[in-house]
Amino acid sequence: MGEVINVVDIFGENVFNDSVMQERLPKKVYKDLKKTIEEGKDLDPVTAEVVAHAMKEWAIEKGATHYSHWFQPLTGVTAEKHDSFISAPDKGGKVVMEFSGKELIKGEPDASSFPSGGLRATFEARGYTAWDCTSPAFVRQDAIGATLCIPTAFCSYTGEALDKKTPLLRSMEAINEQALRLVKLFGNTEAKKVTPSVGPEQEYFLVDRAKYLQRKDLIYTGRTLFGAMPPKGQEMEDHYFGSIRERIAAYMKEINTELWKLGVSAKTQHNEVAPAQHELAPIYTQANIAVDHNQLIMETLKKVAGRHGLTCLLHEKPFAGVNGSGKHNNWSLTTDNGVNMLDPGKTPHDNIQFLLVLTCILKAVDTHADLLRESAADAGNDHRLGANEAPPAIISVFLGEQLEDVLTQLISTGEAKRSIQGGKLMTGVKSLPDLAKDATDRNRTSPFAFTGNKFEFRMVGSSDSIASPNIVLNTIVAEAFADACDILEKADDFDMAVHDLIKEYATNHHRIVFNGNGYADAWVEEAERRGLPNIKTMVDAIPALVTPKAINLFEKFHVFTKPELESRAEIEYEAYAKSINIEARTMIDMASKQIIPAIIKYTTALAKSINAVKAACDVDTSVQVELLTETSALLSDTKVALSKLVDITEKAAEIEEAKEQAAFFRDEVKAAMDELRAPVDKLEMLVDKDLWPMPSYGDLIFEV
């Protein structure tokens, strides 16, 4: 059975949360800190000193010897530098454990080696981390010991954001300001803050670590670059929500325990569609904390896997032909007096505030579909988006029958008088209770779906930070709210003005609404007819960052400056090129040093066998000869494709301009990689398994 875990006792035990602060801080200091957290008031140095001392004492009691400013540079993962609490020994030779308010508030990691996209020259090293007091500090316990981790933002010496946290916090301020304007127009004068809440669902694969270590492609790139499909894949659909195997269950139990101690409300766990694929989902929390928690989830998934002889794969497409992994970003807006702005109520046709919010979001998504698509752009996601396992690369909004009907009424008659109700679900079994049925079905093919009281952005890749999509969502919706409030605040007749605005937005942006099958070819044609962009690759998506429309949007709401946007575009082009370059070089290495030698060994042994049989007796060896001929022909094709990939990869390295190089990798290098993979995957089905130099797909996804 193992250790019995009492979740109530362990939840948040390693977090410097509100309960700990109330217990350890003087009342005045606690109140001042809460004003900083909730209202954005400046934190004075005296308060910072007291908080730092209390935080240090608490962390030391947890076994911490070091502290770290924990930040999220533009690498997509977290970064940290550890400093111990010890100061210079006193006269008696004993060390003193110290941690000042200044050390809490500001750190100074070297900024020169992080991606900056030209914002900083390599020789300009200074960068600063600044404490994000709205996200609680925590003690992380691992092989290095216990470390006090302080969530921070990261900026350059000249003030530009070099991370994902800073623009996220800016975007949260933007939507808070504009959403407050909107709710006050509808009489909610008590609300002082509106917070975007986020709940990201995290998909991942688990493979046996010993087998993983035999695959250079998994080690270097996170995905398999070669691999023939096994006799069975996911077609029986028996893994999805199936019984969790003992080894995986033990892993999940430890994951939950680790996350609960860190205050991460891990709630849902299950087997996903593909063999060896699983999912973890937390409860919603405010956006910046959700981003921090998702990074902790990914780090914990990878760390704990090793303890169980497993490796966690977060790549969007670790196995070709098998379901890929995403990260559904569930997003909503909530006031501090308990109003979910995306809750339609039982009769949404009467809920005027909801209808305005809804149509503002339709306007935002339609106007900035390219930006929303770009926020999920990733080299790994290119393998997933548009396939029959993930949303298409075309942004559309699913509303469901109930809200679609309300919108249709508004557009056709200018007034909505009814809402479709859910009713009862009749199972046909007398012993089963009648179930309340939702007013609409769900649509798993939609990239941006309304799911009751939130929107689910389903495009995000499994390995990505969720900061980027939430920055975009917060900012584009803030703009739509601002435009609406600018009109309504000047209106002589508010009721008439809001009615007209809802109808206008519903009519002008109805093209973005699609409730049908996003996987169908007919939708691609229909989307083109509607004028919706179909942005198929990361390289195609990146330009959306630096259009005049995007620059105006982000500068207006002080989320990004033009140089910050230009730097991010440059970084993303470089990241794409580097990613494909590593994949190409890994294929070259594997083909040259493992695959071709193994095939030569096989064909040599086969040829010797044929000659030996012929010399010994007059026996028909046509099957062996046919096999040798086929294998040798594929070996020749492999060598030709390998030489081509080597040449094209070398040409790509000579291109200096980042955008041009990324496009070359997309168009030329990836095509050459596909040409090399094709004969190798066929050879895997011919060559003796004992001679094949790496575990197969079947070994990896079924033997966990």
Side-chain angles (χ1 to χ4, degrees), residues 193-214:
K193 190 174 185 179
V194 177
T195 304
S197 297
V198 176
E201 305 165 29
Q202 178 70 56
E203 294 176 345
Y204 60 95
F205 279 83
L206 290 172
V207 297
D208 184 85
R209 184 156 184 82
K211 295 184 176 72
Y212 163 85
L213 291 173
Q214 297 175 58

Side-chain angles (χ1 to χ4, degrees), residues 502-517:
I502 291 170
K503 180 181 179 182
E504 176 188 333
Y505 287 175
T507 303
N508 292 348
H509 301 286
H510 189 254
R511 67 172 188 166
I512 201 71
V513 177
F514 178 65
N515 289 342
N517 181 9

Side-chain angles (χ1 to χ4, degrees), residues 317 383-393 519:
K317 195 72 171 177
H383 298 282
R384 176 177 161 266
L385 296 181
N388 285 356
E389 61 183 65
Y519 293 166

Side-chain angles (χ1 to χ4, degrees), residues 483-607:
D483 290 347
C485 291
D486 287 345
I487 294 169
L488 296 176
E489 285 168 351
K490 298 174 184 175
D492 295 327
D493 187 333
F494 175 79
D495 291 340
M496 182 61 69
V498 74
H499 173 275
D500 291 345
L501 202 56
I502 291 170
K503 180 181 179 182
E504 176 188 333
Y505 287 175
T507 303
N508 292 348
H509 301 286
H510 189 254
R511 67 172 188 166
I512 201 71
V513 177
F514 178 65
N515 289 342
N517 181 9
Y519 293 166
D521 292 337
W523 167 233
V524 177
E525 298 173 7
E526 170 65 13
E528 185 177 2
R529 186 188 67 78
R530 294 188 186 189
L532 301 179
N534 184 1
I535 304 172
K536 297 180 180 179
T537 73
M538 177 180 178
V539 177
D540 297 323
I542 295 170
L545 283 173
V546 289
T547 62
K549 178 184 66 171
I551 293 168
N552 290 338
L553 166 76
F554 287 120
E555 289 196 330
K556 177 180 178 181
F557 293 98
H558 310 291
V559 174
F560 288 115
T561 63
K562 182 180 179 182
E564 287 173 338
L565 288 168
E566 291 171 340
S567 73
R568 277 153 178 76
E570 186 79 5
I571 289 167
E572 292 194 18
Y573 284 127
E574 290 176 356
Y576 181 89
K578 288 174 181 176
S579 176
I580 306 303
N581 184 49
I582 292 170
E583 290 185 352
R585 290 167 59 193
T586 301
M587 288 189 85
I588 292 166
D589 185 83
M590 293 173 71
S592 301
K593 298 177 182 177
Q594 293 180 289
I595 295 168
I596 289 178
I599 299 164
I600 290 173
K601 186 175 182 180
Y602 172 73
T603 53
T604 301
L606 186 57

Side-chain angles (χ1 to χ4, degrees), residues 113-275:
S113 295
F114 289 109
S116 71
L119 284 176
R120 301 286 285 156
T122 304
F123 67 88
E124 296 174 314
R126 197 180 294 278
Y128 297 116
T129 48
W131 177 33
D132 173 17
C133 63
T134 64
S135 184
F138 56 92
V139 168
R140 188 178 59 204
Q141 297 169 325
D142 49 30
I144 204 171
T147 305
L148 172 64
C149 296
I150 303 159
T152 57
F154 179 46
C155 62
S156 73
Y157 179 74
T158 48
E160 296 94 352
L162 295 177
D163 67 342
K164 294 178 178 288
K165 170 66 74 70
T166 304
L168 175 67
L169 294 172
R170 294 170 181 170
S171 74
M172 291 174 67
E173 290 182 1
I175 198 165
N176 170 55
E177 181 180 346
Q178 303 307 323
L180 280 176
R181 289 175 67 192
L182 189 146
V183 297
K184 286 177 180 176
L185 284 169
F186 286 89
N188 186 352
T189 55
E190 295 178 359
K192 296 180 180 178
K193 190 174 185 179
V194 177
T195 304
S197 297
V198 176
E201 305 165 29
Q202 178 70 56
E203 294 176 345
Y204 60 95
F205 279 83
L206 290 172
V207 297
D208 184 85
R209 184 156 184 82
K211 295 184 176 72
Y212 163 85
L213 291 173
Q214 297 175 58
R215 299 273 323 203
K216 288 185 178 180
D217 47 4
L218 285 178
I219 292 170
Y220 294 139
T221 74
R223 77 178 183 102
T224 52
L225 301 171
F226 300 103
M229 283 297 294
K232 178 187 176 184
Q234 64 192 53
E235 61 270 24
M236 297 303 293
E237 299 171 340
D238 53 343
H239 188 260
Y240 192 45
F241 282 82
S243 178
I244 299 170
R245 285 167 285 182
E246 286 280 311
R247 187 181 186 186
I248 306 305
Y251 167 78
M252 288 181 170
K253 180 180 179 182
E254 187 171 354
I255 286 290
N256 287 332
T257 302
E258 291 252 347
L259 292 176
W260 289 335
K261 287 180 179 180
L262 292 170
V264 180
S265 53
K267 182 172 178 64
T268 303
Q269 59 189 31
H270 62 84
N271 290 347
E272 252 297 334
V273 172

